[in-house]
Amino acid sequence: DQQVKQNSPSLSVQEGRISILNCDYTNSMFDYFLWYKKYPAEGPTFLISISSIKDKNEDGRFTVFLNKSAKHLSLHIVPSQPGDSAVYFCASRFQGAQKLVFGQGTRLTINP
Amino acid sequence: SQTIHQWPATLVQPVGSPLSLECTVEGTSNPNLYWYRQAAGRGLQLLFYSVGIGQISSEVPQNLSASRPQDRQFILSSKKLLLSDSGFYLCAWSLQGNQPQHFGDGTRLSIL
């Protein structure tokens, strides 16, 4: 049972426009959510996180939105840049747990 | 600042051979440590995690084992590798609480 789902395996966006990556989760006991970016043959890099007590967190070009009633998480990147082309993973953590549950990833391609 | 080292970067092993992958963290004390595997085109699967020396939690039944002989050292092992053990292995660390995990650059393991 996939508790964290990224239903879009890939996404293409034009440079300068907004990229929106989506993630759905099934367990209401998740209380901490993260986004990671991964280039080929490298480990994932932490981008941004949000606690369940918030509905928005912003860091530069990256904003994460949390809709708890819909059990939905999204990452907005604006403006999108060529270096943003990578695979993006969302991850969630159970309340009080030490481990994360990852989605399958979405490959983002920024076109010039 | 904290750094995580994982080696080797790539490894080709015959079926039935043993395995030892090492991961060390610098610049922090008593981190949580994690081993993940990413199969081709798939998300990140948590294999083991450790909250302290000698404390190992296994997430999935498998052909692998993990050990934490020192505070900042995490080792992934196998006595006899299977073809299905091929994949990209990632080590990560985190602090306690609502803190992100930080990943090493991974080991690409190919079993022949």
Side-chain angles (χ1 to χ4, degrees), chain B residues 42-97:
Chain B
R42 303 284 296 276
L44 299 173
Q45 181 186 35
L46 178 65
L47 302 176
F48 301 95
Y49 71 96
S50 171
V51 298
I53 295 175
Q55 300 179 59
I56 309 294
S57 295
S58 175
E59 288 299 296
V60 293
Q62 60 199 301
N63 183 42
L64 302 167
S65 62
S67 61
R68 183 171 179 174
Q70 300 180 42
D71 180 44
R72 291 169 291 168
Q73 184 185 29
F74 207 22
I75 298 172
L76 184 68
S77 304
S78 173
K79 293 182 179 177
K80 283 187 176 183
L81 286 166
L82 306 172
L83 282 173
S84 57
D85 291 324
S86 291
F88 191 50
Y89 288 83
L90 289 155
C91 181
W93 72 272
S94 74
L95 297 174
Q96 305 287 334

Side-chain angles (χ1 to χ4, degrees), chain B residues 27-42:
Chain B
T28 187
S29 296
N30 196 31
N32 293 335
L33 296 172
Y34 309 84
W35 277 111
Y36 288 87
R37 175 170 58 206
Q38 183 184 19
R42 303 284 296 276

Side-chain angles (χ1 to χ4, degrees), chain A residues 31-32 34 36 38 41-46 49 51 87 89 93 97-105, chain B residues 32 34 36 38 42-44 46 49 51 59 88 90 95-106:
Chain A
D31 70 345
Y32 181 56
L34 310 91
Y36 285 83
K38 185 181 181 300
E42 294 184 9
T45 302
F46 168 69
S49 63
S51 165
V87 177
F89 291 97
R93 195 197 71 167
Q98 302 297 327
K99 57 185 182 179
L100 299 176
V101 180
F102 282 83
Q104 311 95 305
Chain B
N32 293 335
Y34 309 84
Y36 288 87
Q38 183 184 19
R42 303 284 296 276
L44 299 173
L46 178 65
Y49 71 96
V51 298
E59 288 299 296
F88 191 50
L90 289 155
L95 297 174
Q96 305 287 334
N98 274 1
Q99 298 292 329
Q101 293 178 15
H102 302 279
F103 287 81
D105 285 334

Side-chain angles (χ1 to χ4, degrees), chain B residues 8-15 17-19 21 81 86 107-112:
Chain B
T10 59
L11 188 60
V12 181
Q13 292 282 102
V15 170
S17 63
L19 173 74
L21 301 181
L81 286 166
S86 291
T107 295
R108 172 73 58 195
L109 176 64
S110 299
I111 310 301
L112 303 179

Side-chain angles (χ1 to χ4, degrees), chain A residues 1-2 7 9 11 17-18 20 24-26 37 50-52 54 60 62 73-74 79-81 86 96 102 106 111:
Chain A
D1 179 31
Q2 192 76 28
N7 292 316
L11 175 68
R17 307 295 276 267
I18 184 171
I20 300 177
D24 296 299
Y25 61 96
T26 58
K37 172 182 178 180
I50 188 167
S51 165
S52 60
K54 295 186 175 182
F62 302 93
L73 185 71
S74 63
S80 299
Q81 299 174 355
F102 282 83
T106 297
N111 302 307

